[in-house]
Amino acid sequence: MAAASSTKKLMLAASPNKPRLSSKLVPPATIRGPPRRRKTKRFAVLATFITSKPTVLVAEKLGEAGLDLLKNFANVDCSYNLSPEELCTKISLCDALIVRSGTKVTREVFESSAGRLKVVGRAGVGIDNVDLSAATEHGCLVVNAPTANTIAAAEHGIALLTAMARKIAQADASVKAGKWQRNKYVGVSLVGKTLAVMGFGKVGTEVARRAKGLGMNVIAHDPYAQADRARAIGVELVSFEEAISTADFISLHMPLTPATSKMFNDEAFFKMKKGVRIVNVARGGVVDEEALVRALDSGIISQAALDVFTEEPPAKDSKLVLHENVTVTPHLGASTTEAQEGVAIEIAEAVIGALKGELAATAVNAPMVPAEVISELAPFVTLAEKLGGLAVQLVAGGSGVKSVKVSYASARGPDDLDTRLLRAMITKGIIEPISSVFVNLVNADFIAKQRGLRITEERIVLDGSPENPLEFIQVQIANVESKFGSAISDIGDIRVEGRVKDGKPHLTKVGSFGVDVSLEGSIILCRQVDQPGIIGKVGSLLGDNNVNVNFMSVGRIAPQKQAVMTIGVDEEPSREVLKKIGETPAIEEFVFLKL
Ligand SMILES: NC(=O)C1=CN([C@@H]2O[C@H](COP(=O)(O)OP(=O)(O)OC[C@H]3O[C@@H](n4cnc5c(N)ncnc54)[C@H](O)[C@@H]3O)[C@@H](O)[C@H]2O)C=CC1
Ligand SMILES: O=C(O)C(=O)COP(=O)(O)O
């Protein structure tokens, strides 16, 4: 990307190979479609309009209602059962990818997309099949559909619990095999037994509620859950040890993460009450499956009911699957008609929103900024990007930027001002003019860190009304030389400061000089000895060469001393014109900056 580019950029939606028209804030999307089970709260970010329809690859079966929404907005390619190689080939032609649990979205997928893939939609909850670090590094948003299948998963958990307790699957197979073994299939009762819910999130809570209805004593373990929320439904939160050592039944509902991987292993099984029964509708990977077979064989665990497996589908000769005390289903937790319709709508809306440049409430790898915050900060977001872009263009050479300090002057308390969006946009403004990377809210912090760019933030607390979120933003770049010496502040940093006036971003300070120019088009900064006639000379020079001046201001230290003239221009002056400006007597230095 050329230095000092004036191209307007977007946060999420732009694809490098698509023409862009403009970048602006839009209100939250209203998408009409079939009745929704749940009203999705939406959070908007910057949007861009792209002239051609985006392409969405749907790699696993998705409910019709969701597909219809997608088809109204994008070209939809439904290609199921792709091999990893086929997925990598196709992805370079897609702006969005929608998957369920059966597709591994690996680093290779993001690399193969060569920057085009802007959003991955996981039509469900668990995102353990998506390489989130790779997505973030590539600036690709990942969204999921976290609520629409909660009840389905909880109901499946209860179905497995009761079916296991009464050996329904085994008895069914026996009758179908022509047998009538009433004494063999004697079950156990649930009432009065203790169920330990491991992971008291959405699904775990619903399982707990239903188990209470069955007369069970329910305890739960979840290091991050609130005890009063559990108590409200008659559930006691206990330690991991207490949960597994006292329960008659254990139901797993935590996500698969590096911390939960194989947490149910030999050691854990050894601590369990002899004869305990286990249900897993979470993820196979939270259980050490070989250890589970050993625990089943030794009788520590008398039965298991499993919907999920480390490898799906499991091997045909899997000892675990074939174990006579194990009941299995092929990852059906979310598979009800209702849940699949809800999930499809939820993910389609999130993906469409993200492609429009909005940020869905279900973003997994980006800060969620509430719509009201975004709308309030909108003009400051533009200001932040432009100040970042201006500051970096003032650096001589451009590549040595390592330390940036951003100061936000506001009458608001620190908790009332969310600066993540502003920081991301300043990062974007600084990095994009000097590199070819695409920076957005998803990858801004990562890219800054990767490039060794340290951004520190400071609050300048002002008196006055907190109605206005910010008075001004100041960007300082330390330890660099400037191609415009007057941009160096009294402490030796490059400093630019801006405010929002009448809803528009303005540059109000350069170095120690007060200026006032609307941040549109391009600007010329000149330092001159303050004397009559200079403004006229430069103005006529530009006018004579068909360069329209849209704004001009002069900030001086004292009358007849040094002054900085800021000229806003609509067109880029030719080299000759810029040279002539430099040769104007009394002009000591000048710089042309693109916004
Ligand atoms: N079988 C299926 O088809 C389905 C499976 N799932 C699985 O169920 C999981 C849970 O889903 P939700 O309840 O919607 O997610 P959730 O995010 O609402 O709940 C997960 C809970 O696990 C807790 N947790 C995290 N680490 C833990 C640990 N070490 N020990 C105990 N608890 C821990 C979290 O604090 C959170 O409260 C998903 O991650 C997904 O893998 C979800 C839906 C369908
Ligand atoms: O939502 C989840 O986490 C699930 O496990 C459901 O998976 P699925 O979309 O049915 O492949």
Side-chain angles (χ1 to χ4, degrees):
M1 189 180 300
S5 159
S6 66
T7 316
K8 288 190 173 185
K9 310 270 171 35
L10 65 156
M11 291 288 292
L12 282 167
S15 168
N17 29 22
K18 287 197 182 294
R20 301 162 182 149
L21 293 184
S22 70
S23 159
K24 67 172 195 178
L25 275 153
V26 294
T30 311
I31 297 163
R32 303 210 184 284
R36 294 161 19 167
R37 293 178 57 246
R38 188 184 75 94
K39 193 160 168 43
T40 312
K41 198 172 169 200
R42 314 204 114 264
F43 299 145
V45 176
L46 292 180
T48 252
F49 298 107
I50 43 184
T51 50
S52 54
K53 271 187 169 185
T55 298
V56 179
L57 173 60
V58 178
E60 287 181 71
K61 188 148 175 35
L62 193 69
E64 282 303 322
L67 281 178
D68 289 346
L69 284 179
L70 289 168
K71 283 175 188 163
N72 284 337
F73 175 76
N75 299 316
V76 180
D77 173 358
C78 292
S79 296
Y80 308 145
N81 304 316
L82 293 173
S83 67
E85 294 73 29
E86 287 167 333
L87 177 58
C88 285
T89 306
K90 261 189 182 286
I91 207 68
S92 62
L93 303 172
C94 300
D95 304 283
L97 167 67
I98 295 184
V99 297
R100 287 177 59 184
S101 61
T103 306
K104 292 212 176 346
V105 190
T106 57
R107 179 170 287 278
E108 287 69 45
V109 173
F110 294 103
E111 281 167 0
S112 305
S113 93
R116 177 154 174 186
L117 187 64
K118 287 288 162 280
V119 54
V120 172
R122 167 34 176 135
V125 185
I127 29 92
D128 44 284
N129 53 325
V130 180
D131 186 333
L132 284 185
S133 312
T136 304
E137 288 169 29
H138 287 80
C140 181
L141 182 72
V142 180
V143 288
N144 71 350
T147 61
N149 69 20
T150 301
I151 299 299
E155 287 179 349
H156 198 65
I158 294 292
L160 286 178
L161 180 77
T162 51
M164 173 177 68
R166 301 306 291 267
K167 304 183 180 164
I168 302 287
Q170 292 84 349
D172 175 73
S174 159
V175 175
K176 284 179 176 150
K179 298 175 191 161
W180 193 253
Q181 299 172 293
R182 297 184 63 214
N183 293 334
K184 185 169 179 187
Y185 297 115
V186 175
V188 290
S189 188
L190 298 177
V191 71
K193 299 282 168 51
T194 295
L195 169 71
V197 171
M198 309 300 284
F200 195 67
K202 294 184 292 296
V203 179
T205 304
E206 293 304 326
V207 165
R209 259 189 239 283
R210 283 157 179 73
K212 297 281 296 177
L214 296 171
M216 299 186 85
N217 165 42
V218 182
I219 55 175
H221 168 70
D222 186 326
Y224 314 105
Q226 287 165 1
D228 42 346
R229 191 170 63 78
R231 226 173 284 124
I233 58 165
V235 173
E236 191 194 347
L237 282 185
V238 298
S239 68
F240 181 76
E241 264 72 20
E242 187 177 345
I244 62 170
S245 61
T246 52
D248 304 298
F249 291 82
I250 297 177
S251 192
L252 312 186
H253 301 290
M254 67 275 292
L256 175 60
T257 65
T260 62
S261 174
K262 293 192 179 175
M263 66 187 286
F264 296 92
N265 49 24
D266 284 313
E267 197 187 338
F269 294 138
F270 190 69
K271 292 177 184 160
M272 291 179 184
K273 205 173 176 179
K274 192 162 167 51
V276 65
R277 292 172 167 84
I278 288 196
V279 176
N280 187 5
V281 288
R283 282 293 178 271
V286 302
V287 174
D288 177 341
E289 292 178 337
E290 288 177 9
L292 178 57
V293 172
R294 285 191 286 276
L296 282 158
D297 286 342
S298 71
I300 295 178
I301 294 179
S302 59
Q303 286 183 291
L306 311 171
D307 183 45
V308 283
F309 304 88
T310 304
E311 194 189 312
E312 292 184 358
K316 288 210 168 69
D317 60 352
S318 158
K319 280 191 185 157
L320 184 60
V321 172
L322 298 177
H323 202 287
E324 62 168 338
N325 295 334
V326 174
T327 303
V328 290
T329 49
H331 201 147
L332 291 181
S335 296
T336 62
T337 315
E338 296 83 353
Q340 281 313 306
E341 169 149 328
V343 161
I345 294 171
E346 197 175 6
I347 205 63
E349 289 186 341
V351 167
I352 292 168
L355 285 172
K356 283 180 174 171
E358 301 163 12
L359 194 58
T362 60
V364 175
N365 63 340
M368 294 177 209
V369 186
E372 54 278 14
V373 173
I374 288 173
S375 113
E376 185 177 50
L377 290 183
F380 298 97
V381 165
T382 316
L383 174 67
E385 182 179 357
K386 298 211 167 189
L387 286 177
L390 276 185
V392 78
Q393 287 180 67
L394 287 166
V395 176
S399 57
V401 180
K402 291 283 172 252
S403 173
V404 174
K405 184 165 130 190
V406 184
S407 306
Y408 307 99
S410 168
R412 291 205 178 159
D415 292 344
D416 290 337
L417 185 64
D418 187 340
T419 59
R420 291 171 301 173
L421 196 49
L422 302 173
R423 189 181 65 230
M425 293 309 275
I426 288 167
T427 308
K428 179 179 171 70
I430 290 173
I431 292 178
E432 285 196 339
I434 55 170
S435 79
S436 56
V437 297
F438 162 75
V439 183
N440 65 8
L441 189 57
V442 175
N443 66 0
D445 285 344
F446 169 79
I447 299 271
K449 200 166 161 204
Q450 193 190 39
R451 298 180 65 91
L453 174 65
R454 197 167 152 263
I455 301 193
T456 51
E457 294 179 289
E458 183 190 85
R459 294 292 304 273
I460 301 172
V461 183
L462 303 175
D463 292 334
S465 157
E467 204 174 298
N468 191 19
L470 275 159
E471 280 305 317
F472 63 85
I473 303 177
Q474 197 178 79
V475 177
Q476 284 166 268
I477 303 184
N479 304 322
V480 284
E481 301 207 335
S482 178
K483 55 173 85 149
F484 185 66
S486 314
I488 302 285
S489 71
D490 42 1
I491 56 161
D493 294 348
I494 288 182
R495 181 195 292 171
V496 290
E497 190 177 296
R499 290 169 188 263
V500 170
K501 294 186 179 181
D502 299 326
K504 293 210 166 127
H506 278 237
L507 178 67
T508 51
K509 202 168 203 177
V510 174
S512 306
F513 291 88
V515 298
D516 190 358
V517 63
S518 163
L519 288 171
E520 284 170 310
S522 302
I523 57 174
I524 300 169
L525 293 176
C526 304
R527 177 166 52 84
Q528 75 228 33
V529 179
D530 186 27
Q531 56 179 246
I534 301 288
I535 297 177
K537 264 188 201 147
V538 176
S540 340
L541 190 55
L542 291 167
D544 292 348
N545 287 279
N546 292 325
V547 178
N548 190 45
V549 173
N550 59 39
F551 211 92
M552 212 171 211
S553 83
V554 178
R556 61 190 178 183
I557 298 173
Q560 307 291 305
K561 291 227 167 124
Q562 300 253 302
V564 165
M565 177 164 60
T566 323
I567 308 162
V569 288
D570 290 335
E571 294 84 22
E572 181 171 348
S574 65
R575 276 169 177 267
E576 291 71 49
V577 173
L578 290 173
K579 192 161 167 271
K580 281 185 190 157
I581 293 176
E583 287 164 1
T584 308
I587 289 197
E588 297 186 331
E589 61 169 349
F590 83 100
V591 65
F592 173 72
L593 305 167
K594 283 187 175 181
L595 296 170

